[in-house]
């Protein structure tokens, strides 16, 4: 090859220290890593091995009952651990297997029902826990395998429909199982009652101790979680785990590289189902009863929310998703606490965005002034417009800011709600100064709807809040909180 | 001795005969190139050999055993591996994992042993890792060091092609099917690939069947060249014989041009 420089070879004495590819890679790394002490800290955190995080998390979680004596809080902690387990199981199917399984909670139900049938007065069987739980896990695994058999050639939407049908089938069978060929198998809508707690020999693991939730179930669930977490992690780091993820990325290439794709899909279904069934035994033993409607769409959506929010494919991510969503849903039940969450989120959101543009900071201040002004003006016109009262966090501040009529006329709720949707749509459609100007009344209207419409009905409101959080997160971090950056394969 | 033998294989998609009564054999240690214009049926031929399509007629044997009707992963485990013309890497997995995943067919640790991390499983895991390092080291410094733990999507185009070859060799194949290994590469990379294919035979000991459009590459590597057009074999022999064959020139350039030349 001839030299491209005009005056012969005049290569600088010190050539580039690194090759071009390497330079690009290093540059990319620098961009991701902030410099200074913060960057050093982040680098340190990244180097902490996964098991250290797990031990830290378990240690922190197990001290919770020491500080918190309320049976309610302990129960919420217990159910959070169940959600963590469910999210871990779903992560195998969705995150690693890449299979959109909408029948997942049916296996949770199968586990709970199977345990209830094997350990209750229903059929008079009382197997020791050490026998019944492994049996139920096996039933779940086989169930997952059987659901996988007809679905193994399906992908994407088609698989979703078939598995969703399976969930409906589970519902139909358990709801009508009180008259299956003349036998009462499932107790129908009334479910199965008086399910045994976990027991070994003559010793019961009691659910309630002096009328409040006994913390032993929390520890049992935490131990099960630790075992499942480690076991799944080990599988993921084996040839099976690599093959799962390979067929998720490209089934044809995986097949051509010697991986039996159909078998791997069945295996992934089976693993997810087994974890769900195991979680079901914990649920049934603790709640002492099972009903069909526990295992339905709402639960399915909640578990999916946790997996997506945390970062599908990352174990730590889906656990974080469960730890965030499960207590959040509980907090949102209480209007006072949900008001705190709402206004913190509103202010936090505006602050975060104002970091990007100063104009938004101004919008926040104007909105604040706008609110006080509207409140004063309406109050001057008619006292009853601001006479409405709300209790709970921040009420002192919001009472002077948000208009709250003493008597909600029938038309106010739907009008303001529809008006809010229209305002949000309008804001997304216009640009520039007009958008900023429109933001002021829109934010205020949001607060109005929240105070006067949503708080009156906390049950749907908390799911709406969950939906809004999901939308916001999907815009900010499409791969979830702890999810790895992913590229789409076309 | 023929390691791969294709006898009178035909395949139609509806009324279109994509491969028509094709005979082809590849001997142990040979490098055979398949050339032909677009739509000649070259990639279809690879899909037939690897079991993605099943031939309507004819037989394909590997070491005198028919592999027709076997599932692709079984054929891969018997010793046929391939790369793809349109790269099909496991993009969201690390470079090393891409290669390690391909060891699935010749490793044995089951899920329960993996869950318990038994000594045997861990030993096998170390072997897989060593195999991956060895296969990646085949490309010199290109896929070494810090790149191992980076996701495959972060690789440049040329490195992705190299990684595909490394992955294909990790299945421990006897015969390697390379589908346009030099496509989209610049002249110096093309030159490198030409040398590499030679090394794959001499150092790796693979028998190679390669589809290639770049005639410099074909000339540089082939023991024998097979030309396809409309699913029919129109010429076979040494590069010089095939390249000057009237039918091949016609297939590439059209009858008019061939006549005026």
């Amino acid at each position: 090859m001839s030299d491209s420089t005009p005056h012969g070879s005049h290569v600088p004495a010190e050539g580039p220290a690194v090759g071009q590819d390497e330079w690009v890679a290093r540059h990319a790394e620098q961009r991701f890593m902030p410099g200074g002490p913060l960057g050093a800290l982040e680098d340190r955190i990244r180097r902490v091995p996964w098991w250290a995080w797990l031990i830290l998390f378990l240690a922190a979680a197990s001290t919770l009952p020491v500080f918190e004596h309320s049976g309610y809080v302990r129960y919420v902690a217990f159910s959070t651990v169940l959600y963590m387990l469910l999210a871990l199981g779903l992560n195998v199917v969705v995150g690693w297997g890449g299979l959109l399984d909408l029948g997942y909670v049916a296996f949770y139900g199968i586990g709970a029902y199977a345990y209830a049938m094997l350990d209750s007065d229903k059929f008079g069987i009382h197997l020791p826990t050490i026998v019944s739980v492994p049996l139920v896990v096996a039933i779940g695994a086989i169930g997952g395998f059987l659901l996988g058999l007809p679905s193994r050639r399906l992908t994407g939407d088609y698989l979703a429909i078939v598995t969703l049908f399976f969930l409906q089938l589970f519902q139909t069978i358990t709801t009508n199982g009180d008259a299956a060929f003349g036998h009462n198998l499932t107790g129908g809508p009334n479910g199965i009652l008086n399910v045994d707690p976990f027991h070994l020999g003559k010793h019961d693991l009691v659910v309630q101790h002096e009328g409040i939730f006994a913390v032993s179930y929390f520890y049992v669930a935490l131990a099960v979680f630790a075992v499942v977490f480690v076991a799944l992690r080990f599988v993921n780091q084996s040839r099976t785990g690599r093959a799962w993820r390979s067929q998720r990325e490209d089934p044809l290439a995986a097949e051509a590289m010697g991986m039996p794709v159909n078998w791997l899909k069945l295996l992934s279904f089976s693993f997810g189902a087994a974890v769900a069934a195991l979680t079901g035994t914990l649920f049934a033993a603790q709640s002492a009863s099972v009903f069909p409607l526990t295992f339905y769409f709402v639960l399915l959506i909640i578990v999916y929310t946790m997996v997506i929010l945390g970062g599908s494919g990352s174990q730590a991510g889906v656990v974080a998703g469960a730890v965030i969503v499960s207590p959040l849903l509980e907090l949102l039940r209480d209007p006072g606490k949900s008001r705190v969450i709402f206004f913190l989120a509103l202010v936090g959101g505006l602050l975060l965005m104002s970091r990007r543009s100063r104009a938004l900071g101004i919008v926040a201040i104007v909105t604040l002034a706008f609110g006080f002004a509207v409140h004063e003006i309406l109050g001057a016109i008619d006292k009853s417009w601001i006479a409405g009262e709300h209790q709970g966090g921040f009420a002192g501040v919001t009472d002077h800011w948000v208009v709250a009529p003493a008597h909600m006329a029938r038309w106010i709720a739907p009008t303001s709600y529809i008006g809010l949707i229209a305002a949000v749509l309008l804001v997304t459609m216009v640009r520039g100064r007009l958008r900023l100007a429109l933001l002021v009344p829109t934010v205020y209207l949001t607060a109005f709807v929240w105070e006067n419409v949503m708080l009156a009905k906390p049950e749907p409101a908390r799911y709406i809040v969950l939906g809004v959080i999901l939308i916001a997160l999907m815009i900010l971090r499409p791969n979830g909180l702890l999810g790895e950056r992913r590229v789409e394969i076309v | 001795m023929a390691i791969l033998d294709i006898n009178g294989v035909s395949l139609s998609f509806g009324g279109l005969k994509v491969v028509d009564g094709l005979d082809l054999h590849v001997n142990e240690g040979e490098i055979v190139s398949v050339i032909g214009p677009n739509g000649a049926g070259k990639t279809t031929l690879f899909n037939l050999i690897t079991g993605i399509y099943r031939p309507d007629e004819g037989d394909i044997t590997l070491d005198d055993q028919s592999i027709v009707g076997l599932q692709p992963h079984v054929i891969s485990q018997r010793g046929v591996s391939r790369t793809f013309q349109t790269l099909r890497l496991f993009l969201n997995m690390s470079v090393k994992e891409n290669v390690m995943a391909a060891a699935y067919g010749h490793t044995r640790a089951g899920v329960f042993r993996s869950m318990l991390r038994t000594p045997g499983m861990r030993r096998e895991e170390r072997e897989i890792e060593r195999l991956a390092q060895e296969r990646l080291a085949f490309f010199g410094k290109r896929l070494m060091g810090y790149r191992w733990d980076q996701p495959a999507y972060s690789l440049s185009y040329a490195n992705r092609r190299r990684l595909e070859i490394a992955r294909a060799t990790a299945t421990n194949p006897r015969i390697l099917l390379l589908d346009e290994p030099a496509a989209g590469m610049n002249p110096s990379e093309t030159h490198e690939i030409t040398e590499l294919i030679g090394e794959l035979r001499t150092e790796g000991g693979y028998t190679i069947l390669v589809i290639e459009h770049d005639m410099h590459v074909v000339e540089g590597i082939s023991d024998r060249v097979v030309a396809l057009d409309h699913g029919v074999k129109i010429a076979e022999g040494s590069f010089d014989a095939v390249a000057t064959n009237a039918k091949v020139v016609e297939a590439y350039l059209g009858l008019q041009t061939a006549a005026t030349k």
Side-chain angles (χ1 to χ4, degrees), chain A residues 302-322:
Chain A
I302 292 174
V303 179
Y304 260 95
T305 305
M306 290 165 175
V307 168
I308 293 167
L309 193 129
S312 162
S314 149
Q315 277 192 307
V318 300
V319 171

Side-chain angles (χ1 to χ4, degrees), chain A residues 21 237 239 242 249-250 255, chain B residues 73 88 107 109 125 147:
Chain A
D21 291 357
Q237 287 170 346
R239 64 195 271 272
R242 284 189 295 271
E249 296 291 307
D250 191 326
E255 184 79 30
Chain B
H73 70 264
R88 303 191 80 127
T107 46
E125 202 60 9
R147 284 214 178 85

Side-chain angles (χ1 to χ4, degrees), chain B residues 127-146:
Chain B
E127 271 162 32
I128 294 171
E129 194 160 341
R130 199 163 48 232
L131 173 98
Q133 289 174 4
E134 189 191 305
R135 297 298 193 257
L136 287 165
F138 201 84
F139 297 87
K141 284 216 177 319
R142 296 276 191 195
L143 296 172
M144 294 299 271
Y146 72 99

